[in-house]
Amino acid sequence: MAATRTFSIIKPDATKRNLTGKVTQMLEDAGLRVVASKRIQMTRAQAEGFYAVHSERPFFGELVDFMISGPVVVQVLEGENAMQRNRDIMGATNPADAAPGTIRKEVAESIEANSVHGSDSDENAAIEIAYFFNEDEIVG
Ligand code: CMP
């Protein structure tokens, strides 16, 4: 099976606790290759645009506030079935429901401060990668 790409964010709760390396190691150990990575401070407009699909949800304002509360690391991950592989190693959205050995179980603090974001489909992965990266920033 050919390698595919997905999009990941290491969220402010993890960057603040100096867990960028630990989270990245868990991604790599799961068979994913980091083919693009940058540490950024998202603007409010960027975060609102990225999470626009959740704009009607009651937690939208808090989600945006949290995502701009500190730096994030946006990454493109490559591997066999990368989107699903990443979702498997991330674990359930709420760390209370996440399986042992997953990033959210081992590292995350709450459903909001849940350490990582990962695309939920190949279609959204392509959209989310293009939201943060130019093609020439991705080196496989
Ligand atoms: P993420 O994968 O980044 O996609 C949307 C995010 O919204 C999700 O991770 C959670 O961090 C956050 N989220 C989902 N449900 C809730 C909730 N009930 N309260 C606060 N944040 C939530």
Side-chain angles (χ1 to χ4, degrees):
M1 189 176 168
T4 57
R5 288 177 177 172
T6 193
F7 176 74
S8 167
I9 304 177
I10 304 177
K11 296 189 180 185
D13 67 285
T15 62
K16 278 182 189 165
R17 287 178 290 145
N18 211 20
L19 295 172
T20 298
K22 181 181 171 87
V23 170
T24 302
Q25 187 70 62
M26 292 178 80
L27 297 170
E28 291 180 340
D29 288 347
L32 292 158
R33 178 178 295 272
V34 180
V35 295
S37 182
K38 56 188 174 189
R39 182 176 172 106
I40 61 169
Q41 172 63 53
M42 259 199 242
T43 64
R44 181 171 295 277
Q46 243 177 336
E48 286 175 348
F50 182 77
Y51 280 121
V53 66
H54 295 304
S55 62
E56 302 304 319
R57 303 280 195 100
F59 58 81
F60 180 67
E62 285 175 16
L63 173 61
V64 170
D65 286 346
F66 170 66
M67 292 300 289
I68 64 173
S69 68
V72 300
V73 178
V74 291
Q75 296 178 318
V76 181
L77 307 175
E78 194 171 85
E80 199 173 295
N81 203 4
M83 183 278 293
Q84 191 58 53
R85 193 177 283 258
N86 185 40
R87 293 187 71 76
D88 289 347
I89 189 60
M90 283 197 304
T93 303
N94 188 343
D97 302 327
T102 61
I103 294 169
R104 284 166 170 162
K105 183 66 176 184
E106 303 303 324
V107 169
E109 297 180 311
S110 67
I111 192 168
E112 180 177 86
N114 66 353
S115 299
V116 279
H117 164 84
S119 308
D120 62 3
S121 68
D122 288 339
E123 292 73 21
N124 283 337
I127 293 167
E128 292 176 356
I129 289 169
Y131 194 80
F132 286 103
F133 290 97
N134 296 317
E135 193 57 39
D136 65 3
E137 295 177 297
I138 306 169
V139 184

